[in-house]
């Protein structure tokens, strides 16, 4: 399949940027899905050992990429321990 | 003039030699002259527990609405509601088992009352009474 691709690109070199953009887009979407699957605290992979991953988070942990008004370093655990 | 009286007596030369002996650092366990200082760290623990209880009372009195929870930063707060509902009943069960006053658990009750739809809370209460509740308490 790569051989076919190479032949086509040699004939139409203007298609190379297309590859970059489509490949980049696909990589970004797969990367976002991977981040959601592995880092999102709502996602539970191991029901027996870690059934509620959001309870194991640090209160200052920032999941979003960019927080506009929220100073995460000042947050503390809210409820009492039990 | 700082609030730390001992700090004012600190020799005013720079750089500070013997920074391990600074008044602010004596209360953590450090090695001073080879002897581990841990007396004040256990006192600190006791003080912290007392402060935590007073903190909860103060927080309950000043409560307006559920504060920002970093575990649930997005607009979908379903899990926030669920988590606090579970935490309230787990806290009650745990503190009842220990025989301690369950007053501090009220924080969770206030939070889920603020953010959960009333119909959900009623449905879960009914499920708990019937024994059908899907969560682990």
């Amino acid at each position: 399949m790569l051989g076919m691709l190479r032949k086509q690109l040699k004939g139409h070199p203007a298609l190379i940027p297309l590859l970059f953009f489509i490949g980049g887009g696909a990589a970004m979407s797969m990367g976002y899905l991977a981040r959601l699957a592995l880092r999102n605290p709502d996602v539970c992979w191991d029901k027996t050992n870690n059934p509620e991953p959001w309870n194991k988070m640090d209160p200052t942990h920032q999941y979003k990429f960019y927080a506009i008004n929220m100073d995460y370093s000042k947050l503390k655990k809210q409820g009492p321990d039990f | 003039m700082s609030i730390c009286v001992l700090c004012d007596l600190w020799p005013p030369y720079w750089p500070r030699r013997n920074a391990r002996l600074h008044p602010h650092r004596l209360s953590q366990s450090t090695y001073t002259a080879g002897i581990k200082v841990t007396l004040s760290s256990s006192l600190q623990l006791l003080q912290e527990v007392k402060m935590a209880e007073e903190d909860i009372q103060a927080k309950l009195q000043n409560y307006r609405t559920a504060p920002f929870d970093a575990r649930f930063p997005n607009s979908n707060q379903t899990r926030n509601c669920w988590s606090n509902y579970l935490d309230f009943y787990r806290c009650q069960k745990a503190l009842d088992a220990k025989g301690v006053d369950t007053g501090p658990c009220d924080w969770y009750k206030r939070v889920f009352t603020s953010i959960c739809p009333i119909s959900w809370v009623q449905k879960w209460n009914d499920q708990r009474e019937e024994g059908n509740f899907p969560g682990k308490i």
Side-chain angles (χ1 to χ4, degrees), chain B residues 24-53:
Chain B
H24 276 155
R25 295 204 53 193
L26 276 180
S27 58
Q28 298 162 17
S29 45
T30 94
Y31 282 96
T32 51
I35 305 167
K36 200 167 181 188
V37 178
T38 46
L39 261 179
S40 32
S41 59
S42 56
L43 267 176
Q44 242 188 353
L45 264 176
L46 273 173
Q47 274 178 349
E48 274 177 23
V49 169
K50 234 175 90 178
M51 264 176 58
E53 277 193 37

Side-chain angles (χ1 to χ4, degrees), chain A residues 4-73:
Chain A
M4 260 181 67
L5 199 64
R6 245 180 254 280
K7 261 203 301 196
Q8 287 175 347
L9 282 185
K10 279 201 194 127
H12 301 90
L15 290 178
I16 296 181
L18 185 72
L19 269 189
F20 276 126
F21 287 114
I22 294 189
M28 288 203 290
S29 31
M30 288 302 117
Y32 183 65
L33 283 182
R35 175 178 128 99
L36 270 183
L38 299 170
R39 296 270 169 262
N40 188 352
D42 280 349
V43 172
C44 169
W45 289 104
D46 190 355
K47 259 175 38 175
T48 42
N49 296 335
N50 191 9
E52 293 181 359
W54 62 87
N55 279 332
K56 306 250 166 86
M57 265 171 76
D58 178 32
T60 56
H61 176 243
Q62 179 175 341
Y63 176 70
K64 294 173 107 159
F65 280 132
Y66 182 58
I68 301 178
N69 265 336
M70 180 55 58
D71 188 358
Y72 276 77
S73 55

